[in-house]
Amino acid sequence: MYLRIFLLAVLSCAFCRAEVKIPPKLNKNRAEVLSYFAKNVYGVVPETSFVREAKVVKTEKVPEFSATRKVVRISTFTPIGETNFNAVCYFPDGVEKCPVFIYISFRPATDTKNSRWPIAQILERGAATVAFCYNDVLKDDPNVLKGDQKIQVRRDDSWGAISAWAFAASRVVDYLETESLVDQSKIAIVGHSRLGKTALWAGANDTRFQMTVANNSGCFGARLHSRNLYGETIDLITAAFPHWFAPNARKLWCGKDYELPFDQHWLVAAVSPRLMAIGSALDDWWACPPGEMACWEYASSAWRDKSSINYHIRPGMHDITSRDWKEYLDFAERKKWFTAK
Ligand code: GCU
C-alpha cells in the first residue's frame, strides 16, 4: 500500500503541475498561530455574553450497549445568533471515569446505525462517546450567512461555519466538565472531512481536548496546500463553501496555494504536545493523502515525544470507517487512556 502511495505521488509530480516545495517554516508561537488562522482563515469568534447552558433532558439504560445514554441540550452561539443543539452521550457500564470521544456528526446524533460513529466499538474499549450533528448548530448551506437580519456586515475576518461548529464542540466540553463519569484529562475530538477540518480547528484552540483526530480532512485541514498534488485548491473550496471560512480566506489566498506565507502544519503544531491523529484514505485523491502525510511529517517536529502524533493511511475511499476508529482507539490505548478499565 505504501508503495502504491509512493507511485501515486511520483506519477502525480510527473504529470501534474506539482512541485516539491518546502512549506514555510513555523515562525510563530501557539497563540500567534491561532490568532493568525482566526483572522486569515476560519474567522474570529466575537466576544459574547450568551448564557452557557447544558441540561440533561433524558437519561436511560441501553442494555444492548451495556451503557447509559444521556441526551443533553446545550446552548451555543453562532454567526447568526444563539441556538441550542442536542448531544447524545453513551457512558459504558462499570467504568468510573471514562475517556470520552466526541464525534462531530454529519447525521443526526440519534442515529445509532451510523457506520461512521461505531458506538459499540468505542464503548467496548471502556470509553464514553458523545455525538452532535453539525447541522443542528449552523446549517451547512452556502447561503446561511447571507442576507440574515441578525447578521450585521460581514467583516473580512468574521467567523464562518467551521469556527461555529468548533465553538459548539467546546460547549460540549463545558458540559463534560460537570459530568462525574468523565476523566477530564482524556477528552478527544473526532471529525471526518469538513468536520475533520473542524476538529483540527477545535483541538488547536481548546486545550481541554487532549486528543485531536482529523480524518480525511484535506484542504484547510491537516493537509499542506503546498503539497496538493491533484486535489482541492483554495480557489475551489472557498468558491463552493464560502460560508465555512472568514471572507479573508478567499480574498487573501485564492490561487496562492503554492506561495502562502503559512501552511497547515502550523495549525497541527498548535495541538502539541497534546495527542494528534491524522488519518488518510488511499483513494481519497480530493483530500490528497500525500499532502496529508507531508503535513504530518512537517508538523511532527513540534512534538518532542513523536509517539504523540499519529499518522495512518488505509486502503479505500473518503470515509471514516471502523478501521479508522480502531486506529484512533489503539493510539489512545498506546497513550494509556484505558488503564482505568
Ligand atoms: C467536499 C469538500 C471537502 C470536504 C468534503 C466533505 O468534497 O470539497 O473540502 O472535506 O466535501 O466534507 O465531505
Side-chain angles (χ1 to χ4, degrees), residues 155-233:
R155 295 185 353 206
D156 286 346
D157 66 355
S158 287
W159 57 329
I162 288 179
S163 268
W165 300 325
F167 186 79
S170 287
R171 305 295 60 84
V172 174
V173 185
D174 294 347
Y175 153 66
L176 292 174
E177 281 186 323
T178 69
E179 177 56 74
S180 61
L181 291 167
V182 171
D183 179 343
Q184 306 297 333
S185 69
K186 296 185 177 110
I187 298 178
I189 181 75
V190 183
H192 164 65
S193 202
R194 68 198 67 185
L195 301 175
K197 310 178 208 300
T198 304
L200 174 59
W201 184 230
N205 277 289
D206 189 337
T207 55
R208 296 174 301 170
F209 294 115
Q210 288 296 328
M211 184 196 294
T212 299
V213 177
N215 188 81
N216 299 187
S217 58
C219 188
F220 278 125
R223 191 210 74 196
L224 294 184
H225 298 288
S226 55
R227 287 290 173 88
N228 177 23
L229 303 181
Y230 38 74
E232 189 171 28
T233 61

Side-chain angles (χ1 to χ4, degrees), residues 23 42 56 61 69 90 97 101-102 118 137 142 146 167 183 196 203 208 211 237 242 255 259 285 293 301 314 328:
Y42 305 101
V56 178
K61 284 270 170 211
R69 174 166 50 215
Y90 289 86
K97 291 273 177 201
F101 287 77
I102 302 173
V137 173
K146 279 191 202 150
F167 186 79
D183 179 343
R208 296 174 301 170
M211 184 196 294
I237 199 171
E259 299 132 43
W285 59 274
M293 205 184 223
S301 58
R314 61 153 173 83
Y328 305 134

